[in-house]
Amino acid sequence: MITGAICGAEVTKEHNPNVPYTVEEIGREAELAYNAGASIIHLHVREDDGTPTQSKERFKVCIEEIKERCPDVIIQPSTGGAVGMTNDERLQPIYLDPPPEMATLDCGTMNFGGDEIFINTENTIIYFAEEMNKHGIKYELECFDKGMIDMALRLHDKGYIKDPMHFNFVLGVIGGISATSRDLEFLKNSIPKDSTFTACAIGRHEFSIITSSIIMGGHARVGFEDNVYLSKGVLAKSNGELVAKVVRIANELGREIASPDEARKILGLK
Ligand code: KMH
Ligand code: ZN
């Protein structure tokens, strides 16, 4: 499975002019990622000026735009939003009607570069999980460090987090686990055998970690949220170019690319 993380909350057009802000740009980038092989779109949304927002209304119009262009793609709104947002602000996209098939569930508090702290206390994680359970939403468990896996497993044992568990390992955030294949292997070996995982990494580590994940039997997340370069010094023209590179790597390594419906089967979505 390839997830296209097309937008994020931190990256801007100053980093790469092709980072999408408007509804039309978000739709275009989702379509290019999907046409290249992404079965899941990890979605943050922006105001037209680039300000990150968790507005339910903005998610609604962006999701409609994406569905118009790629009717069967799995859309996975972020409930992480941007550092500093309140819990209820972050949760807005899960209350859409119909609810999204998936959403992210961030599994711990961490430093997030500079002076930023991304806050996800144990009670916050329980609250988010219970709200998503109520609405039948499959969570992707976002783990930026090993302790976050331990937290997810603890809340799974307590019955808050349901099976089947799907993890996304984000390596290389300043404040989280470093982006090495040794660390990815450690994370992979720390989750139950019957769970699934995707991996991504920030900046120049993106493709080496994705390659390691593909070799280890994992899935891949790629996109402007994590990295804006196609190769050293070469800005990607679109998320489609980034996804296409992952498809080439996967093909070389003998892994097939999942369609959205195949991804639904892998994830246990109805
Ligand atoms: N923007 C980060 C603070 C998620 O999407 O759930 C959080 C984030 C994780 O991107
Ligand atoms: Zn995100």
Side-chain angles (χ1 to χ4, degrees):
M1 298 185 290
I2 300 177
T3 299
I6 59 171
C7 176
E10 288 79 24
V11 74
T12 69
K13 285 188 190 290
E14 269 125 61
H15 299 108
N16 182 328
N18 301 310
V19 171
Y21 294 167
T22 67
V23 175
E24 198 278 329
E25 288 170 347
I26 284 176
R28 178 202 71 209
E29 285 301 313
E31 186 176 7
L32 291 168
Y34 168 80
N35 286 343
S39 47
I40 303 170
I41 299 296
H42 169 66
L43 188 63
H44 291 252
V45 298
R46 308 287 186 97
E47 304 292 356
D48 285 350
D49 67 0
T51 307
T53 176
Q54 288 292 104
S55 153
K56 188 175 160 185
E57 195 45 43
R58 189 69 168 183
F59 267 101
K60 183 172 183 291
V61 289
C62 288
I63 288 172
E64 281 167 2
E65 179 75 21
I66 295 171
K67 287 273 171 198
E68 186 100 346
R69 293 166 181 260
C70 354
D72 62 338
V73 80
I74 299 168
I75 300 180
Q76 178 200 83
S78 169
T79 68
V83 167
M85 290 176 171
T86 65
N87 289 349
D88 288 327
E89 197 178 353
R90 287 166 49 183
L91 271 179
Q92 289 177 79
I94 74 161
Y95 301 115
L96 285 164
D97 183 18
E101 286 179 273
M102 288 186 91
T104 59
L105 175 55
D106 292 277
C107 293
T109 296
M110 63 184 296
N111 286 328
F112 213 80
D115 290 325
E116 311 249 89
I117 303 175
F118 182 36
I119 299 177
N120 297 284
T121 65
E122 182 181 18
N123 288 338
T124 293
I125 303 163
I126 292 171
Y127 174 48
F128 279 37
E130 289 195 307
E131 289 301 295
M132 290 191 225
N133 291 339
K134 268 189 232 162
H135 291 83
I137 298 170
K138 164 109 188 171
Y139 16 74
E140 178 174 87
L141 302 162
E142 304 296 311
C143 295
F144 296 75
D145 217 330
K146 161 68 163 61
M148 298 195 193
I149 295 177
D150 299 332
M151 175 62 85
L153 297 182
R154 170 183 158 81
L155 299 184
H156 174 259
D157 287 349
K158 286 175 169 278
Y160 296 112
I161 288 179
K162 309 289 181 198
D163 284 316
M165 283 189 284
H166 175 67
F167 293 84
N168 178 40
F169 303 140
V170 186
L171 291 81
V173 172
I174 299 168
I177 200 163
S178 60
T180 65
S181 51
R182 179 202 62 177
D183 286 326
L184 179 61
E185 193 162 8
F186 176 46
L187 299 176
K188 180 216 165 199
N189 288 334
S190 303
I191 61 173
K193 294 276 171 276
D194 59 354
S195 54
T196 49
F197 74 95
T198 292
C200 62
I202 304 305
R204 67 195 167 90
H205 301 291
E206 175 109 85
F207 291 105
S208 56
I209 288 298
I210 286 173
T211 304
S212 296
S213 181
I214 292 169
I215 291 168
M216 290 178 201
H219 304 276
R221 175 175 120 169
V222 71
F224 287 154
E225 176 162 351
D226 305 324
N227 161 55
V228 294
Y229 290 95
L230 186 61
S231 55
K232 192 172 179 189
V234 181
L235 287 173
K237 292 193 188 75
S238 71
N239 281 278
E241 275 196 342
L242 296 170
V243 172
K245 181 164 172 171
V246 176
V247 170
R248 289 198 297 276
I249 295 169
N251 286 340
E252 286 296 328
L253 294 169
R255 294 280 306 277
E256 287 172 22
I257 307 304
S259 68
D261 279 343
E262 287 165 342
R264 285 184 177 89
K265 285 204 188 86
I266 293 167
L267 292 165
L269 290 167
K270 279 137 229 151

